[in-house]
Amino acid sequence: QLHLVESGGGLVQPGGSLRLSCTTSGANLRYYIIAWVRQAPGKEREGVSCHSPLNGITGYADSVKGRFTIVRDDAEGIVRLQMNNLRPEDSAIYYCAGLRGRGGVSDVVACPLNAHFGDANFESWGQGTQVTVSS
């Protein structure tokens, strides 16, 4: 079972940057789809970014394309989300989630190019880290 712990959240001004980290343990990260998901008060959970290693697919929500980048280091067991040019609407609790990849169409469903995936697809979740963008 993959265990996940998020860190790196905090308070930043609009236009600033943050780098979130998802530290994993308990399984070989190499085979896992990893997603970043956020939830703001009164909003549904939103897929932000994902990477599917067996299919080689990286997905981003339209709202973060060109600003956020997902980076993974499987040997270190860490997946990061670099967030640049942050906006107030980016404020949310950010979670990382994992799902063992299978190498088939289910991996595409779990990590599409637009990161529009369902929470039920993921079997492991971290505790979340708060990101607040405000002046």
Side-chain angles (χ1 to χ4, degrees), residues 24-104:
T24 72
S25 61
N28 191 340
L29 179 61
R30 177 182 180 183
Y31 303 107
Y32 278 79
I33 299 166
I34 298 295
W36 285 97
V37 180
R38 66 187 180 187
Q39 187 168 28
K43 300 284 189 177
E44 296 288 328
R45 286 190 176 185
E46 176 189 20
V48 176
S49 184
C50 60
H51 181 261
S52 177
L54 300 182
N55 291 343
I57 293 174
T58 302
Y60 294 99
D62 288 342
S63 60
V64 307
K65 285 181 179 177
R67 299 189 298 119
F68 291 10
T69 304
I70 187 170
V71 181
R72 64 191 294 160
D73 186 332
D74 291 339
E76 192 174 347
I78 297 177
V79 182
R80 296 181 173 90
L81 184 68
Q82 179 65 47
M83 305 187 295
N84 298 325
N85 193 23
L86 284 161
R87 304 166 180 170
E89 52 264 41
D90 294 318
S91 297
I93 300 175
Y94 283 72
Y95 302 87
C96 59
L99 177 69
R100 179 67 163 83
R102 306 299 179 187

